[in-house]
Amino acid sequence: MSDFVSGFWSYYIGAIAIAGIVFCVWLLFSQRAWLKKTVEHTEDTGHVWDGDLTELNNPVPRWWTVFYLGLCIVAVAILVLYPGLGSYEGTLKFTSANEVKSQREALNAQIQPVYERFGKMSITEVAGDPDAREIGQRLFLNNCAQCHGSDARGSGNFPNLVDGDWLYGGEPEQIMHSITKGRHGMMPAWGAQIKPAEAADIAQYVRSLSGLASDALRIVPGKRGFDMFCAACHGAEGKGNTALGAPNLSDNIWLYGSSEASIVETILNGRENRMPAQEGILTEDQIRMLTAWVWGLSNPGSRMAAR
Ligand code: HEC
Ligand code: HEC
């Protein structure tokens, strides 16, 4: 893999690295005195201290020279095996990403036996198993809590997974699909078709669906607008549609808030939300475990049944 936009920098860096090694070897051979087995005469630098301490100019010891040459050979070997010369990949094709990947595969193989027992159980049975719940919770804390919260109650745009209210459905298959493939919620923007005042009326009607304080006079035109623009996705009674991820607007559970301003903002500018697909990040076993754990959160009866 190379991040270089042109070949020049790759060659430039490669050339500097090789030139460095060549220079080191040249430096060594330019001081050829070490090649001679014995030193015939010792040069005196003429520096004398403390009366009789004379500084000599001896060639470097042989062991040192051999060591030095050995290091140059090691340097060349590393540059052949590993990526170091610009965009040259090295014969081992080493990358740190591959390293992480192979470590992860090894770890997964190691923990495989732990999951084997649960592979034969249905999701609802797994949800009732105390060991499985412990594993599920750890996986959740490591992979999901940053968005959904460590108690899975969500916050802001991140849905609460505990409240039994589902954008995409709370059956095990639907939860597994949400986790495996991810989700991409899209509420279209209606700013071009709906005027702000109309949107405010519709917002009043939407609030009334959840029994929130609303203006009885504005609800009437608001309902008309809702039937025309919104019912197709959110349903005639605003109960939502899990196939589209259109939220239930009548349960007083809000992703973006229940104020008129927030609902008007949703209507005029739309909303977009994304749950990242875990396929390829987590193994199938881990996703099953998480599915069971998440399902169990809003089906607490499953834990009792299994006890
Ligand atoms: C980067 C933030 C992020 C991470 C990490 C994340 N999620 Fe989500 N998740 C979201 C968002 C945002 C949505 C809502 C998507 C939408 O509105 O279309 C969502 C939706 C979901 C849903 C569907 C909820 C419903 O009401 O139908 C489930 C189930 C879910 N996530 C489970 C998980 C699990 C399990 C993990 C850990 C593997 C996880 N998520 C990790 C952001 C995240
Ligand atoms: C094409 C389908 C579609 C249509 C038509 C549509 N919506 Fe939505 N709406 C969605 C989806 C999908 C979401 C969830 C977006 C997300 O996951 O972030 C949503 C979200 C919302 C929310 C946010 C709910 C919350 O929990 O905070 C509100 C309010 C809303 N829509 C109201 C309306 C109104 C009012 C109209 C008519 C003017 C309308 N929608 C028309 C699909 C639609």
Side-chain angles (χ1 to χ4, degrees), residues 5-303:
V5 281
S6 80
F8 171 76
W9 291 107
S10 171
Y11 289 116
Y12 180 76
I13 289 172
I16 289 179
I18 292 172
I21 297 172
V22 170
F23 173 75
C24 288
V25 175
W26 169 81
L27 196 66
L28 186 68
F29 279 86
S30 71
Q31 310 295 313
R32 290 174 67 97
W34 61 277
L35 282 174
K36 298 174 200 142
K37 267 220 158 65
T38 51
V39 181
E40 283 121 37
H41 69 282
T42 307
E43 255 179 64
D44 187 334
T45 60
H47 300 158
V48 179
W49 289 278
D50 291 342
D52 59 352
L53 208 57
T54 311
E55 182 181 318
L56 303 181
N57 185 13
N58 281 333
V60 289
R62 286 201 123 229
W63 67 264
W64 188 93
T65 331
V66 171
F67 201 67
Y68 184 99
L69 211 55
L71 285 181
C72 291
I73 291 168
V74 169
V76 171
I78 287 176
L79 288 176
V80 170
L81 294 173
Y82 292 95
L85 294 176
S87 56
Y88 168 69
E89 290 180 341
T91 53
L92 292 183
K93 304 269 180 255
F94 172 91
T95 70
S96 44
N98 282 344
E99 179 94 334
V100 171
K101 190 159 161 257
S102 70
Q103 280 171 358
R104 195 159 56 192
E105 276 163 10
L107 190 70
N108 286 340
Q110 210 180 331
I111 54 179
Q112 183 56 32
V114 179
Y115 286 112
E116 228 139 69
R117 175 157 75 86
F118 305 114
K120 300 178 199 84
M121 295 158 69
S122 72
I123 294 285
T124 52
E125 283 167 339
V126 177
D129 186 289
D131 293 339
R133 278 213 307 280
E134 206 155 298
I135 299 174
Q137 183 173 29
R138 292 228 181 95
L139 287 170
F140 189 87
L141 290 175
N142 284 337
N143 299 286
C144 324
Q146 69 269 41
C147 292
H148 293 284
S150 53
D151 57 0
R153 289 178 190 278
S155 76
N157 308 352
F158 303 115
N160 183 328
L161 302 177
V162 184
D163 57 8
D165 179 51
W166 299 95
L167 292 163
Y168 299 96
E171 294 305 317
E173 312 78 62
Q174 294 165 317
I175 296 176
M176 193 182 278
H177 190 282
S178 291
I179 301 172
T180 311
K181 302 283 178 192
R183 296 289 191 180
H184 185 186
M186 273 276 282
M187 156 85 195
W190 291 99
Q193 289 93 332
I194 301 178
K195 293 195 186 72
E198 279 179 89
D201 290 347
I202 297 175
Q204 285 297 314
Y205 173 68
V206 168
R207 282 175 57 84
S208 77
L209 293 174
S210 289
L212 297 170
S214 45
D215 183 333
L217 280 180
R218 289 162 63 197
I219 285 178
V220 182
K223 177 172 171 17
R224 237 177 286 138
F226 187 90
D227 290 345
M228 196 185 316
F229 297 111
C230 323
C233 292
H234 291 282
E237 291 158 16
K239 296 215 176 296
N241 182 343
T242 53
L244 299 169
N248 184 341
L249 301 176
S250 64
D251 57 5
N252 201 18
I253 293 175
W254 304 93
L255 212 48
Y256 302 105
S258 62
S259 68
E260 182 186 298
S262 153
I263 298 175
V264 167
E265 160 82 20
T266 302
I267 296 171
L268 297 180
N269 298 323
R271 300 278 187 185
E272 200 173 348
N273 219 3
R274 199 182 283 270
M275 154 79 201
Q278 301 298 309
E279 195 174 39
I281 298 172
L282 298 173
T283 66
E284 249 172 73
D285 288 328
Q286 289 172 319
I287 290 176
R288 263 189 113 238
M289 216 60 138
L290 277 166
T291 302
W293 190 77
V294 170
W295 182 83
L297 291 174
S298 50
N299 293 275
S302 62
R303 301 179 203 171

